[in-house]
Amino acid sequence: MLLNSIFFLLSIASTVNAAALFIFGDSLVDTGNNNYIIPHNRANSIPYGHNAFSGEPTGRFSDGRVIVDYIAEYAKLPLIPPFLQPSADFTHGANFASGGAVVLPLSDQETLVMDLPAQLNHFGDVQKLLRNKLGEEEAKDMIEEAVYLISIGSNDYMVNYLGNPQMQQKYNPEMYVSMVIANLTNAILDLYDKGARKFAILNLSPLGCIPTLRAMNPDVSGCFEAASALALAHNHALKTVLVNTLHRLKSIKFSNPEYSYNWLNNRIMNPSKYGFKDGVNACCGSGEYGGIYSCGDNATDFKLCDNANEYIWWDSYHPTQRIHEQFAKALWNQLPPPFGLRSYTLRHLFFENTRL
């Protein structure tokens, strides 16, 4: 354990000249964009954020930091600002993630969250700002050397599919997964056309074990297997797409942690093995498993655990800061199983001198 910790710290200290970081996604990686756009679905009230920074809520759907904060730290970058933050400096990257965002917006969906197509449009806005600030050539180099982290898809299945009987009647699971993956593929190719070359694309977690889905389980106990099955189907289809893309586009690089589903599932099923006491219930929430989304937002009926570090889940949908930190460390140094032509850790993507 000590040797692993020393190796991890040395690996960070020995790297220099990190690339910029651009983030696309949903509430798992939103660092405050929703604070500026909607009066609900925000994480800007106590007890959110009480375990990090000044102990005040920051718009992160966590008791503290989220995975991209740790990744920025390991990459020797400052915290990456939300795109909507006034007067934000984007010279080290930008975070476009928005809580509630989806890959595949429904045609009749009225929402103010920034879905993936909107996030891509805003990336184009940042490109223009960088060209004006840095000049054409320097901005072009920055865009090509940057790392593009994409963490999105959960809401497509939990909300837009499982929460929408009409969608289930119209599309079977295989068809719907194909639609989501097609739109995600188009997003990757759109970023590639804009100059992106290095991608970190996160797989979906076992969705059925999230407290709110566990509470919906028609079998009363255990995880909602239909939701987890959708996540596995998504992950499998995504791997196929990435392998095909690697063959087509020789200059593109991917970090796609195939182990991520099992990584979290192992902790959910065996929390004590990994230093946790509870892998089932939310630290903050109400109802069965804490599955009613009632944490913060001036609500008075939620329960709050004594120590979030003992829990896998912070609220009805989101993991604790401790899980974010552990997963960030795994992504940073753990080489994913080889797929296609190349395999990269996040550290490899940020620092060319460590490339395999």
Side-chain angles (χ1 to χ4, degrees), residues 159-185:
V159 179
N160 282 4
Y161 191 72
L162 292 175
N164 189 334
Q166 291 182 336
M167 290 297 287
Q168 295 179 56
Q169 292 174 3
K170 190 173 182 180
Y171 303 105
N172 64 38
E174 292 77 12
M175 293 170 62
Y176 189 76
V177 169
S178 296
M179 291 165 57
V180 173
I181 291 296
N183 278 264
L184 183 54
T185 303

Side-chain angles (χ1 to χ4, degrees), residues 89-248:
D89 179 6
F90 300 129
T91 53
H92 296 287
N95 187 333
F96 305 97
S98 177
V102 292
V103 175
L104 181 64
L106 301 182
S107 58
D108 61 348
Q109 194 173 41
E110 293 185 6
T111 177
L112 292 177
V113 303
M114 296 189 297
D115 56 34
L116 187 56
Q119 293 178 33
L120 294 174
N121 289 335
H122 290 316
F123 174 71
D125 297 334
V126 169
Q127 274 191 300
K128 294 176 184 177
L129 291 172
L130 290 172
R131 291 191 192 105
N132 291 334
K133 181 174 183 177
L134 304 176
E136 191 72 31
E137 286 303 313
E138 188 173 344
K140 179 176 179 291
D141 290 342
M142 175 187 171
I143 294 300
E144 289 184 354
E145 290 303 317
V147 174
Y148 296 79
L149 186 143
I150 302 175
S151 175
I152 195 168
S154 297
N155 294 313
D156 290 273
Y157 301 108
M158 292 192 299
V159 179
N160 282 4
Y161 191 72
L162 292 175
N164 189 334
Q166 291 182 336
M167 290 297 287
Q168 295 179 56
Q169 292 174 3
K170 190 173 182 180
Y171 303 105
N172 64 38
E174 292 77 12
M175 293 170 62
Y176 189 76
V177 169
S178 296
M179 291 165 57
V180 173
I181 291 296
N183 278 264
L184 183 54
T185 303
N186 289 338
I188 295 169
L189 296 178
D190 181 64
L191 287 169
Y192 181 86
D193 289 340
K194 288 180 167 70
R197 293 296 181 267
K198 298 188 288 187
F199 294 85
I201 303 176
L202 306 191
N203 281 351
L204 298 186
S205 67
L207 298 180
C209 299
I210 294 173
T212 193
L213 270 294
R214 191 185 287 269
M216 290 171 54
N217 186 5
D219 296 329
V220 181
S221 62
C223 300
F224 191 177
E225 294 303 328
S228 294
L230 284 169
L232 283 173
H234 173 98
N235 294 344
H236 178 75
L238 178 60
K239 176 184 176 181
T240 300
V241 164
L242 297 185
V243 169
N244 291 338
T245 304
L246 280 170
H247 283 281
R248 289 172 49 207

Side-chain angles (χ1 to χ4, degrees), residues 4 47 68 73 124-125 137 160 169 187 196 249 271 313 317 324 333:
N4 287 339
V68 292
E73 177 187 337
D125 297 334
E137 286 303 313
N160 282 4
Q169 292 174 3
L249 305 173
W313 302 108
Y317 288 93
H324 280 283
N333 268 327

